[in-house]
């Protein structure tokens, strides 16, 4: 199956995984520095999401496309199978090529990480980051028999106006690339895939955007489920508001995401400084 992935077109180095926001770390110029920066940010995302309680055991996975340290093409960085997210560091992330072969570091990710992430990265050349979790509130909402969609009942919900795709057919654990390709097809050009009986996937051009998206997806889902638990009807935002507010939000989205993610990064430097190793 790996050979099927290798048949896809290659990708260029023109897309970045981070913004121009001032960074809480320093790296050298060039591909090696860009690779190091991607490793730092991805390791911080693993640690930060674990700190927020959005991971599940050692089963979920995050990835970023970055330049290879030697400058010869790109790699998909992801964590090694069996590591707890609190054990992830910049240096123990592994880099895969688009055939699934480990070309940086030692070891390999869990099979489903390769099947899901490579398929989505290949189908979405506009994004650099894929994050997949089984976070409790969003997963619960996605798995409801009825009322499983995100309702516009809170301003956090407006972030996801017209940006969520829904997979209502659970097809089993993604041990084959066909399942990853199926997910990618349903995701389409959206930012979020909510998967019934499974979990969620978010995609973004930067680590900070994907990180913040997972957090606020969980918060929006929590508000909706808590409201539903009262048995009373929730007040929805008037129809004229969501589109206008979404476009205003998108103008500021990268800055909002950077503020949150790099604040988390700074906290991790204090509480878990080994992630930068």
């Amino acid at each position: 199956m790996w050979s099927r992935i290798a048949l896809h077109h290659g990708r260029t180095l023109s897309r970045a995984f981070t913004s121009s926001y001032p960074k809480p770390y320093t790296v050298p110029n060039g591909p090696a520095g860009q690779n190091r920066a991607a490793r730092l940010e991805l390791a911080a995302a693993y640690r930060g999401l674990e700190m927020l309680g959005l991971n599940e055991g050692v089963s979920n996975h995050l990835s970023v496309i970055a330049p290879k340290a030697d400058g010869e093409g790109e790699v998909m960085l992801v964590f090694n199978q069996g590591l707890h997210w609190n054990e992830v560091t910049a240096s123990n992330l592994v880099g895969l090529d688009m055939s699934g072969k480990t070309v940086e570091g030692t070891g390999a990710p869990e099979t489903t990480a390769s099947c899901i992430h490579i398929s989505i990265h290949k189908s979405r050349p506009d994004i650099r980051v894929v994050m997949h979790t089984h976070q409790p509130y969003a997963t619960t909402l996605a798995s409801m028999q009825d009322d499983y969609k995100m309702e516009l009942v809170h301003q956090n919900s407006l972030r996801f106006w017209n940006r969520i795709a829904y997979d209502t057919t659970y097809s089993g654990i993604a041990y084959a690339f066909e399942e990853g390709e199926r997910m990618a097809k349903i995701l389409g050009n959206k930012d979020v895939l909510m998967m019934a009986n499974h979990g969620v996937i978010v995609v973004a051009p930067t680590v900070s955007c994907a990180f913040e998206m997972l957090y606020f997806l969980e918060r929006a889902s929590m508000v909706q489920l808590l409201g539903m638990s009262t048995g009373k009807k929730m007040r929805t935002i008037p129809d004229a508001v969501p589109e206008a507010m979404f476009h205003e939000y998108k103008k500021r989205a990268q800055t909002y995401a950077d503020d949150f993610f790099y604040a988390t990064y700074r906290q991790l430097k204090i509480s878990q400084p080994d992630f930068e190793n």
Side-chain angles (χ1 to χ4, degrees), residues 110-121:
E110 196 264 333
T111 300
T112 62
S114 299
C115 292
I116 293 172
H117 288 249
I118 288 177
S119 297
I120 292 176
H121 280 297

Side-chain angles (χ1 to χ4, degrees), residues 114-154:
S114 299
C115 292
I116 293 172
H117 288 249
I118 288 177
S119 297
I120 292 176
H121 280 297
K122 281 297 189 181
S123 72
R124 290 289 300 272
D126 59 312
I127 60 99
R128 299 289 272 180
V129 184
V130 176
M131 296 188 177
H132 168 49
T133 70
H134 300 164
Q135 55 198 62
Y137 284 103
T139 299
T140 300
L141 181 60
S143 302
M144 300 286 286
Q145 180 67 39
D146 300 305
D147 301 319
Y148 62 88
K149 291 188 176 182
M150 178 73 66
E151 300 292 342
L152 301 181
V153 296
H154 188 268

Side-chain angles (χ1 to χ4, degrees), residues 50 54-61 79 82-86 134:
E50 192 280 333
L54 300 186
N55 67 316
E56 182 176 65
V58 297
S59 302
N60 305 161
H61 18 79
F79 83 134
L83 287 182
H84 192 277
W85 285 21
N86 267 344
H134 300 164

Side-chain angles (χ1 to χ4, degrees), residues 72 175 183 253:
E72 298 295 325
Y175 289 138
M183 292 176 181

Side-chain angles (χ1 to χ4, degrees), residues 17 25 32-46 64 66-67 69 75-78 88-96 103-106 207 265 275-277:
F17 57 85
Y25 57 79
Q34 294 172 37
N35 181 276
R36 170 69 176 165
R39 288 174 172 275
L40 289 169
E41 294 203 5
L42 190 60
Y46 276 105
V64 61
V75 290
M76 184 184 82
L77 297 174
V78 65
V88 175
T89 67
S91 62
N92 67 23
L93 293 165
V94 294
L96 306 183
V103 294
E104 284 188 357
T106 58
V207 174
Y265 192 109
F275 81 91
E276 291 189 309
N277 293 344

